[in-house]
């Protein structure tokens, strides 16, 4: 049960007791008045927010921060009117998010997790306050999913969103039928903080910007202001900008289009599966310098190298006589088309390996590198994304129940069933002060797939990359082949404690 610090009125008596300067008492009174004006939530939640600030003041006092500085760091004026009145607007789903609510099945939804390991145990009271301040710059997170006549949409929630202890269950589906449930979680355990996000909110890079902003705010509250500008960590005191929540896919309207890309079924990895929604996660550290050197020695990107490792392991595991292995990869469209959106703005493609192809080592990596370059070329992305967005617009005024049937059929043509597995590479995560001094490791985890028993995510920071393997099976043949395949590419996968 959550421990309560008591009402701030009690704390006021303690802090303004005998011997306290009158100015301190006035400052505290002004702070309490500003706090009440900033949070016009229902009574139960408003009292919970009072407790949040009381615990935050206690935590900073214990750290030795002067009281006037504490009130300055926790100044409710930074929140403007975000919690002062319900918002009447709503957010249509972006062009990359429309598929996710429709493709939900019982016990499974498109979730992912980002985790940062810090140099000290997490202070839950300060993390809670950091979340309250951070959400003002991510207003589309303070929403719930609603069903409209033609599409699902995001409706603002006027509520206190809370951090929770991490119980170890990874990417558990969110009950979207419960109107009080947000589409994200912030979880803490020891010196780790994880955010879990429904893909209808954002993609991996948007989620990383949320995580970095949350930590920047967490350390700002403790008196550590950044000395470097990080474009991926937003200023929570600045106003939310329209481009933060724009639908980046709108830029493809009227651009060059091609035919609909129809996929062919991929070779699947046979395995006895866990019940829907359950998964295990294996994580491995890789020397970042060795990973880059191994890719450079073969003249390929890190993504192409890891794709070769994964597809080699899949080929050894299945040993199919015909068909082709297909690895789903993603491209961050922000790198190609100018956008600063915090929502979805990525695209999916496939790297292929024919079952009869005996390429190994550098030859296989170079072949996949060529496929990756072709997929990520501006002209190819523009053609494929424009075609898909045009198809979505054609369905615009079709009732949702009919549209859901059509899009579920399309999902069967281009969805997980047509991939052997997935690799999501967030690349090298840049850290600026104060995060550079405190964040020891960052990892990404894909939620379980309804059709593929394995999913892979890679993220690098400082001297290590972390490869996370989400599996929905206890069959470990693919894991063993992955380790052997990596060794063949001069990589050592070292298992890490989770």
């Amino acid at each position: 049960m959550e421990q309560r610090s008591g009402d701030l009125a009690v704390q006021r008596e303690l802090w303004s007791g005998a011997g306290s300067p009158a100015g301190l008492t006035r400052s505290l009174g002004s702070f309490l008045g500003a706090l009440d004006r900033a949070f016009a939530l229902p009574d139960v939640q408003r009292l919970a927010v009072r407790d949040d600030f009381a615990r935050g003041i206690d935590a900073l006092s214990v750290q030795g921060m002067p009281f006037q500085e504490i009130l300055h760091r926790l100044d409710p004026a930074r929140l403007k009117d975000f919690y002062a009145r319900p918002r009447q607007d709503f957010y249509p789903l972006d062009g990359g998010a429309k598929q996710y609510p429709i493709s939900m099945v019982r016990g499974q939804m498109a979730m992912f997790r980002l985790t940062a390991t810090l140099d000290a145990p997490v202070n839950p009271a300060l993390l809670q306050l950091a979340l309250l301040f951070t959400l003002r710059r991510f207003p589309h997170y303070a929403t719930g999913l609603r069903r409209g006549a033609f599409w699902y949409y995001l409706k603002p929630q006027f509520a206190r969103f809370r951090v929770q202890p991490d119980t170890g269950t990874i990417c558990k589906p969110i009950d979207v039928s419960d109107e009080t449930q947000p589409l994200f979680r912030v979880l803490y355990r020891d010196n780790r903080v994880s955010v879990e996000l429904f893909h209808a909110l954002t993609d991996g890079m948007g989620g990383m910007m949320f995580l970095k902003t949350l930590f920047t705010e967490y350390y700002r509250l403790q008196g550590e202001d950044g000395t470097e500008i990080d474009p991926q960590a937003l200023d929570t005191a600045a106003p939310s900008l329209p481009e933060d929540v724009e639908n980046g896919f709108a830029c493809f309207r009227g651009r060059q289009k091609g035919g609909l890309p129809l996929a062919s079924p991929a070779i699947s990895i046979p395995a006895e599966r866990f019940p829907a929604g359950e998964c295990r996660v294996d994580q491995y550290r890789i020397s970042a310098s060795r990973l880059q050197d191994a890719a450079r020695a073969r003249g390929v990107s890190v993504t192409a190298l890891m794709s070769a490792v994964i597809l080699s392991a899949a080929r050894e595991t299945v040993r199919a006589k015909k068909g082709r292995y297909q690895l789903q990869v993603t491209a961050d469209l922000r790198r190609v088309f100018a956008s600063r959106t915090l929502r979805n703005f990525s695209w999916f493609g496939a790297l292929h390996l024919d079952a009869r192809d005996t390429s190994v080592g550098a030859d296989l990596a170079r072949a996949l590198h060529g496929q990756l370059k072709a997929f990520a070329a501006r002209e190819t992305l523009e053609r494929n994304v424009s075609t898909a967005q045009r198809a979505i617009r054609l369905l615009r005024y079709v009732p949702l129940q009919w549209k859901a049937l059509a899009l579920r059929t399309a999902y069967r043509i281009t969805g997980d069933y047509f991939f052997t597995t997935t690799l999501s590479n967030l690349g090298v995560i840049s850290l600026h002060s104060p995060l550079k001094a405190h964040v020891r490791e960052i990892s990404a985890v894909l939620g379980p797939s309804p059709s593929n028993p394995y999913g892979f995510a890679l993220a690098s920071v400082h001297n290590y990359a972390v490869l996370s393997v989400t599996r929905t099976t206890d069959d470990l043949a693919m894991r063993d082949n992955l380790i052997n395949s990596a060794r063949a590419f001069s990589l050592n996968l070292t298992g890490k404690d989770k």
Side-chain angles (χ1 to χ4, degrees):
M1 181 177 295
E2 191 174 352
Q3 183 180 1
R4 297 170 63 90
S5 295
D7 191 278
L8 275 178
V10 177
Q11 298 287 359
R12 178 177 179 174
E13 292 180 8
L14 295 175
W15 289 320
S16 59
S20 297
L24 184 61
T25 303
R26 289 194 296 271
S27 296
L28 183 57
S30 297
F31 179 85
L32 292 170
L35 187 62
D36 284 338
R37 290 190 297 274
F39 289 91
L41 299 172
D43 286 346
V44 171
Q45 294 194 40
R46 182 171 51 81
L47 291 175
V49 168
R50 276 176 162 252
D51 281 345
D52 292 339
F53 276 83
R55 283 190 292 270
I57 291 172
D58 286 343
L60 293 175
S61 297
V62 169
Q63 292 182 14
M65 182 178 289
F67 195 63
Q68 290 285 8
E69 180 67 11
I70 291 175
L71 298 186
H72 169 69
R73 294 284 166 178
L74 271 57
D75 187 359
R78 292 178 66 93
L79 297 167
K80 306 301 180 184
D81 62 350
F82 188 74
Y83 297 98
R85 61 183 62 88
R87 290 175 290 151
Q88 302 302 320
D89 56 347
F90 69 95
Y91 299 97
L93 294 183
D94 62 71
K98 294 181 184 295
Q99 62 174 313
Y100 294 117
I102 292 174
S103 64
M104 289 187 300
V105 296
R106 184 181 297 275
Q108 289 187 305
M109 61 194 301
M111 299 285 294
F112 66 95
R113 169 185 278 221
L114 303 172
T115 299
T117 302
L118 307 180
D119 61 342
V122 175
N123 188 311
L126 298 180
L127 184 65
Q128 175 65 49
L129 291 178
L131 176 61
L132 289 175
F133 284 104
T134 296
L135 284 175
R136 180 175 168 270
R137 283 305 306 266
F138 292 79
H140 62 297
Y141 280 42
T143 59
L145 185 68
R146 298 294 180 270
R147 184 186 181 101
F150 301 107
W151 292 108
Y152 285 91
Y153 64 96
L154 302 177
K155 181 180 179 180
Q157 292 189 35
F158 190 54
R160 164 191 178 257
F161 299 90
R162 63 188 183 91
V163 302
Q164 306 171 59
D166 190 346
T167 63
T169 302
I170 295 177
C171 292
K172 180 181 178 181
I174 293 169
D175 182 6
V176 296
S177 66
D178 184 349
E179 294 189 358
T180 67
Q181 292 296 312
L183 303 179
F184 71 96
R185 301 184 184 99
V186 176
L187 309 169
Y188 63 88
R189 183 177 183 179
D190 299 328
N191 62 333
R192 294 195 300 270
V193 174
S194 299
V195 296
E196 292 187 344
L197 300 151
F198 181 30
H199 244 310
L201 284 181
T202 189
D203 55 20
M205 191 50 63
M208 185 58 63
M209 288 189 272
F210 175 72
L211 183 65
K212 291 174 72 171
T213 302
L214 178 68
F215 276 123
T216 300
E217 185 65 14
Y218 176 74
Y219 289 111
R220 183 198 68 80
L221 292 174
Q222 299 178 68
E224 297 188 52
D225 295 309
T227 57
E228 303 171 283
I229 296 177
D230 184 349
Q232 293 181 342
L234 307 186
D235 179 3
T236 60
S240 178
L241 303 175
E243 53 263 39
D244 292 343
V245 294
E246 71 180 3
N247 176 16
F249 291 92
C251 74
F252 291 98
R253 185 186 298 269
R255 296 198 184 207
Q256 178 185 2
K257 296 178 285 291
L260 283 173
L262 299 178
S264 59
I267 296 170
S268 61
I269 301 173
E272 184 176 347
R273 305 288 294 278
F274 297 144
E278 292 187 18
C279 68
R280 308 285 187 272
V281 176
D282 302 317
Q283 291 189 318
Y284 305 93
R285 283 193 185 95
I286 311 172
S287 166
S289 59
R290 178 165 294 186
L291 181 60
Q292 293 168 352
D293 289 344
R296 191 178 300 114
R298 294 162 177 81
V300 301
S301 67
V302 167
T303 300
L305 180 71
M306 291 308 303
S307 299
V309 170
I310 293 167
L311 287 177
S312 294
R315 180 172 58 187
E316 182 63 24
T317 302
V318 181
R319 298 190 178 186
K321 301 297 184 183
K322 60 181 180 179
R324 63 180 181 177
Y325 303 90
Q326 298 187 153
L327 177 68
Q328 183 174 232
V329 293
T330 58
D332 181 11
L333 297 178
R334 298 173 185 82
R335 297 181 178 181
V336 185
F337 305 95
S339 176
R340 54 167 295 164
T341 184
L342 303 175
R343 305 176 76 186
N344 288 283
F345 202 45
S346 55
W347 198 244
F348 302 89
L351 305 184
H352 312 288
L353 173 62
D354 193 276
R356 295 167 295 184
D357 190 336
T358 59
S359 300
V360 296
D363 290 339
L364 176 58
R366 282 192 285 267
L368 296 175
H369 181 73
Q371 294 181 32
L372 189 61
K373 286 185 64 177
F375 152 67
R378 181 185 180 93
E379 296 78 11
T380 303
L381 290 172
E382 185 172 286
R383 181 171 61 251
N384 291 340
V385 179
S386 297
T387 300
Q389 293 303 304
R390 180 173 180 271
I392 290 174
R393 288 195 298 273
L394 290 176
L395 295 171
R396 180 171 41 184
Y397 297 119
V398 176
L400 184 58
Q401 63 269 28
W402 298 351
K403 189 179 298 173
L405 178 62
L407 290 181
R408 287 192 183 106
T409 300
Y411 184 74
R412 294 188 186 100
I413 297 175
T414 61
D416 283 356
Y417 178 68
F418 286 82
F419 298 100
T420 305
T421 187
T422 297
L423 170 63
S424 177
N425 181 13
L426 291 182
V428 178
I429 309 301
S430 62
L431 296 178
H432 300 73
S433 64
L435 273 59
K436 183 188 297 183
H438 293 292
V439 175
R440 293 291 177 260
E441 187 175 274
I442 289 180
S443 63
V445 173
L446 301 181
S449 162
S451 53
N452 297 332
Y454 294 92
F456 300 84
L458 185 69
S460 303
V461 69
H462 297 316
N463 298 323
Y464 290 101
V466 175
L467 178 67
S468 302
V469 184
T470 305
R471 56 181 173 87
T472 55
T473 178
D474 272 334
D475 186 342
L476 301 181
M478 178 66 179
R479 183 197 67 178
D480 295 341
N481 287 323
L482 180 75
I483 294 172
N484 292 333
S485 177
R487 191 175 297 121
F489 282 89
S490 305
L491 300 175
N492 182 34
L493 300 187
T494 305
K496 64 181 292 289
D497 295 330
K498 299 180 285 301

